[in-house]
């Protein structure tokens, strides 16, 4: 059980219907660009983590429906200096997870730096330092393949036009079996510009089956696209293509980019993919996959996504979803939390270490009120602790006490995206503490009040955000002496960043002034998310 995980509470979203079936999405949160594998009876999944640290989340399941977050493979992003400030849409894009020669491997493309790989003897690590396999701009969506028959290794990747000027094509390389050297300059193995109607071909996953090389790759754009399959007898092609999953008559837009997984039960195959849901990010669906008589895969129900389906064959499993709640035991944070940038070097991994947080003997998260010149815009703060939105509708509640005596020190609970809104407490110039609620629209460079400030006499408040369909957020708070929750400000509609869903965030700051470091703390208690 991860630090801070609560038991006995209702989950915001459950995919397991308890009658041998499941409903989609199986992961109702922004586990973007998922890739998954089976090792024995265990399934593992990783996803894009962009500029957040720690990165490369690792999830585990025994039935592809009930998932737990078990760790992260990347403590810090590299080059570290480039991620000392928030880079919300950069960093780790579309990783590929594989198991080969007794080791776990993850390859990914950083659009600004190139293709990296890490590996470990066990899913829990220790993971190697990132190795830059291919440097360059616009190199994304990397996936390796080891040919178990010949001992040869291959790599395939896509291109980001924003950095390279190139898109809609897939490039293949021969690779050394140790994953540390590319053995050629690469060749285009699939050119989407030569396929009528195909555009934005990307996200390739490379497999072998029945003597064929298979590339499963999406096209058509994140929100509106489809899933393609390509096959060839030789790695370099020529490849045949077919659309194997599309929205069709369903409400599941852009169903694509994920993982073909062979089930633990003989003859069962499955496909995990994402659906782009605006502020909710890229939620993960599970589709049945069968192989047609002509050798092509058929995904979902006749090539359309399923809403409810029989679960994969597996022993009965507890109903699970990645943790959200946290009591912060000993001041530590659970695995569900990430920072919006690399923490200082003296902070290790996801545990609370002096710097941005202070450990202590009891429960509760003590964030240091970091001095900063960008306190007016939490989108620019590196020391924001964030987690994904876990369902379409939910309520988040957390207690907050501001201990800092610094005028201008503040802390709060935020809904972050291209636009943001937060509610919290702030120390005034007169020494008193007041409840404040502020926001900024997309494109605005400074926050402004969403409601009139109220007195918070002892520096304490209970903060709440109620989220309803469409990402509509109603903020409220309770302060003494009456302790009742009172609505604050108009409804705020959560927005994503460019490639990232909206995030729940906790932060604390102090004015920059002529000093460095931090000034006092703010303590968050009993973070809870309920349906």
């Amino acid at each position: 059980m991860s630090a801070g995980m609560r038991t006995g509470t209702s989950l915001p979203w459950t995919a397991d219907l308890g009658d041998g079936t499941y409903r989609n999405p199986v992961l109702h949160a922004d586990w973007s660009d998922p890739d998954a594998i089976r090792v024995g009876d265990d399934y593992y999944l990783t996803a894009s983590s962009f500029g957040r640290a720690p990165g490369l989340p690792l999830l585990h399941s025994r039935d592809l429906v009930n998932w737990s977050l078990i760790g992260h493979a990347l403590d810090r992003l590299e080059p570290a200096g480039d991620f000392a400030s928030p880079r919300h849409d950069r960093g780790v894009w579309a990783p590929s997870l594989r198991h080969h020669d007794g080791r776990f491997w993850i390859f990914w493309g950083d659009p600004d730096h190139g293709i990296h790989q890490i590996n470990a003897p066990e899913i829990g690590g220790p993971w190697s330092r990132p190795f830059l396999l291919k440097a360059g701009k616009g190199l994304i969506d990397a996936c390796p393949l080891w040919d178990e028959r010949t001992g040869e290794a291959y790599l395939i990747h896509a291109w980001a036009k924003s950095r390279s000027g190139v898109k809609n094509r897939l490039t293949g390389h021969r690779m050394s079996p140790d994953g540390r050297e590319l053995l050629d300059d690469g060749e285009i193995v699939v050119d989407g510009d030569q396929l009528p109607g195909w555009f934005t071909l990307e996200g390739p996953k490379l497999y072998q089956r029945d003597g064929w090389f298979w590339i499963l790759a999406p096209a058509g754009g994140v929100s509106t696209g489809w899933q393609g399959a390509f096959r060839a007898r030789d790695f370099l092609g020529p490849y045949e293509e077919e659309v194997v999953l599309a929205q069709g008559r369903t409400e599941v837009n852009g169903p694509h980019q994920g993982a073909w997984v062979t089930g633990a039960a003989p003859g069962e195959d499955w496909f995990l993919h994402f659906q782009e849901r605006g502020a909710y990010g890229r939620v993960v669906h599970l589709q049945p996959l069968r192989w047609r008589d002509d050798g092509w895969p058929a995904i979902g129900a006749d090539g359309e996504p399923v809403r409810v389906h029989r679960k994969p064959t597996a022993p009965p499993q507890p109903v699970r979803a990645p943790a959200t709640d946290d009591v912060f035991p000993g001041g530590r944070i659970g695995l569900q939390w990430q920072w919006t940038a690399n923490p200082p070097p003296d902070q290790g991994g996801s545990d609370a270490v002096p710097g941005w947080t202070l450990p202590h003997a009891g429960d509760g998260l003590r964030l240091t009120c970091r001095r900063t010149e960008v306190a007016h815009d939490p989108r620019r703060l590196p020391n924001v602790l964030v987690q994904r939105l876990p369902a379409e509708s939910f309520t988040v509640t957390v207690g907050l006490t501001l201990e800092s005596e610094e005028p201008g020190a503040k802390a709060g609970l935020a809904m972050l995206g291209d636009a943001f809104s937060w509610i919290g407490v702030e120390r005034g110039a007169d020494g008193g503490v007041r409840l404040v609620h502020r926001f900024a629209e997309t494109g605005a460079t400074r926050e402004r009040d969403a409601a009139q400030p109220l007195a918070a006499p002892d520096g304490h408040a209970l903060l709440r955000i109620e989220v309803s369909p469409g990402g509509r957020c109603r903020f409220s708070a309770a302060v003494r002496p009456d302790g009742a929750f009172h609505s604050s400000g108009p409804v705020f509609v959560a927005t994503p960043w460019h490639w990232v869903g909206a995030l729940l965030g906790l932060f604390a700051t102090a004015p920059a002034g002529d000093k460095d470091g931090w000034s006092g703390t703010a303590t968050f208690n009993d973070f809870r998310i309920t349906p």
Side-chain angles (χ1 to χ4, degrees):
M1 184 179 296
S2 65
M5 182 177 172
R6 297 163 57 95
T7 59
T9 57
S10 298
L11 297 172
W13 173 265
T14 53
D16 194 329
L17 297 178
D19 59 359
T21 65
Y22 70 91
R23 61 174 174 170
N24 275 316
V26 291
L27 287 166
H28 205 313
D30 189 23
W31 304 99
S32 179
D33 314 315
D35 194 29
I37 57 172
R38 178 177 62 84
V39 181
D41 293 329
D42 297 287
Y43 299 96
Y44 300 103
L45 181 148
T46 191
S48 296
S49 51
F50 299 97
R52 304 191 297 275
L56 290 172
L58 300 169
L59 285 75
H60 171 258
S61 177
R62 282 293 185 95
D63 61 5
L64 291 171
V65 173
N66 295 286
W67 290 91
S68 298
L69 178 62
I70 59 173
H72 293 82
L74 188 64
D75 284 342
R76 301 170 60 80
L77 290 92
E78 294 191 7
D82 284 15
F83 294 96
S85 298
R87 299 289 184 268
H88 297 293
D89 300 327
R90 303 183 184 183
V92 177
W93 283 21
S96 293
L97 173 63
R98 293 293 181 264
H99 188 258
H100 165 71
D101 196 26
R103 299 187 71 83
F104 291 88
W105 302 77
I106 301 178
F107 286 66
W108 74 92
D110 178 321
D112 299 300
H113 299 99
I115 294 170
H116 296 79
Q117 64 95 338
I118 57 175
N119 59 86
E122 305 289 344
I123 194 69
W127 288 87
S128 61
R129 287 277 305 271
F131 176 78
L132 184 60
L133 176 62
K134 182 180 180 180
K137 296 280 189 178
L139 308 177
I140 59 171
D141 306 348
C143 182
L145 173 71
W146 287 269
D147 189 329
E148 303 297 346
R149 304 166 305 173
T150 65
E152 293 182 298
Y154 305 92
L155 182 84
I156 193 168
H157 70 82
W159 295 85
K161 187 175 182 179
S162 59
R163 274 70 163 186
S164 65
V166 174
K167 73 167 189 173
N168 205 32
R169 64 191 63 174
L170 307 178
T171 295
H173 291 270
R174 296 186 182 275
M175 181 178 71
S176 62
D178 63 2
R180 296 184 68 86
E181 183 181 2
L182 298 179
L183 304 180
D184 55 36
D185 294 331
E187 293 187 31
I188 297 173
V189 295
V190 179
D191 186 347
D193 290 344
Q194 303 303 312
L195 305 177
W198 287 68
F199 61 97
T200 317
L201 177 63
E202 57 188 354
K205 295 293 184 284
L206 187 59
Y207 306 94
Q208 283 181 305
R209 183 181 186 271
D210 291 345
W212 294 88
F213 285 89
W214 286 91
I215 301 170
L216 298 185
V222 169
S223 299
T224 58
W226 60 88
Q227 180 65 38
F230 302 81
R231 69 180 183 182
R233 291 296 185 182
D234 183 79
F235 171 63
L236 295 178
Y239 283 86
E240 310 169 68
E241 82 281 350
E242 186 157 325
V243 175
V244 293
L245 181 68
Q247 178 173 352
R249 298 157 294 178
T250 75
E251 297 179 353
V252 182
N253 59 292
H256 61 42
Q257 189 159 339
W260 163 38
V261 182
T262 58
E268 284 193 1
D269 290 86
W270 302 88
F271 185 72
L272 288 153
H273 67 89
F274 75 72
Q275 175 197 10
E276 198 277 323
R277 292 285 315 279
Y280 299 100
R282 300 176 181 183
V283 303
V284 180
H285 290 239
L286 176 67
Q287 305 294 336
L289 184 154
R290 64 178 178 84
W291 295 91
R292 301 182 332 211
D293 292 342
D294 60 5
W296 289 91
I299 300 176
D302 298 322
E304 296 183 0
V306 300
R307 175 63 173 169
V308 176
H309 195 270
R310 174 187 60 83
K311 289 173 57 180
T313 302
Q317 301 296 317
V319 175
R320 298 183 186 276
T324 56
D325 294 2
D326 209 339
V327 297
F328 308 108
R332 299 185 303 274
I333 57 178
L335 297 174
Q336 64 268 38
W337 297 101
Q338 297 170 289
W339 298 104
T340 49
N342 278 335
D346 60 346
Q347 296 203 97
S350 61
D351 286 340
V353 179
W356 291 348
T357 60
L358 290 178
H360 58 98
D363 291 342
L365 173 68
R366 290 182 181 168
L367 289 183
T368 56
C369 295
R370 306 300 298 180
R371 297 187 183 279
T372 176
E373 295 179 349
V374 294
H376 57 276
D377 190 345
R379 294 168 297 193
R380 299 171 61 188
L381 294 174
N383 56 313
V384 183
L385 204 57
V386 295
Q387 64 167 284
R388 299 162 178 84
L389 310 191
E392 185 174 46
S393 298
F394 62 93
T395 298
V396 55
T397 306
V398 66
L400 169 60
T401 303
L402 181 66
E403 292 97 4
S404 175
E405 300 293 333
E406 181 89 3
K410 61 185 180 182
L413 167 67
M415 181 68 74
L416 289 175
D418 273 342
F420 69 83
S421 186
W422 68 272
I423 191 167
V425 291
E426 180 179 55
R427 180 77 61 180
D430 60 357
V433 179
R434 53 187 185 163
L435 177 76
V436 296
H437 180 192
R438 298 191 177 125
F439 79 104
E441 304 166 82
T442 299
T445 58
R446 298 189 71 89
E447 65 187 14
R448 56 194 182 97
D449 286 333
Q452 290 295 326
L454 298 173
D458 56 1
H460 176 78
L462 287 175
L463 311 174
R464 177 171 290 172
I465 306 175
E466 297 172 81
V467 181
S468 58
R472 294 171 60 83
C473 303
R474 173 67 72 181
F475 287 73
S476 60
V479 296
R480 298 184 181 102
D482 74 351
F485 276 92
H486 296 279
S487 180
S488 178
V491 167
F492 171 79
V493 179
T495 63
W497 278 286
H498 193 189
W499 304 121
V500 182
L503 296 164
L504 294 168
L506 305 177
F507 72 94
T509 67
D514 57 358
K515 302 176 182 178
D516 294 323
W518 54 282
S519 177
T521 59
T523 299
F524 292 87
N525 288 286
D526 200 13
F527 183 96
R528 290 181 292 152
I529 293 181
T530 54

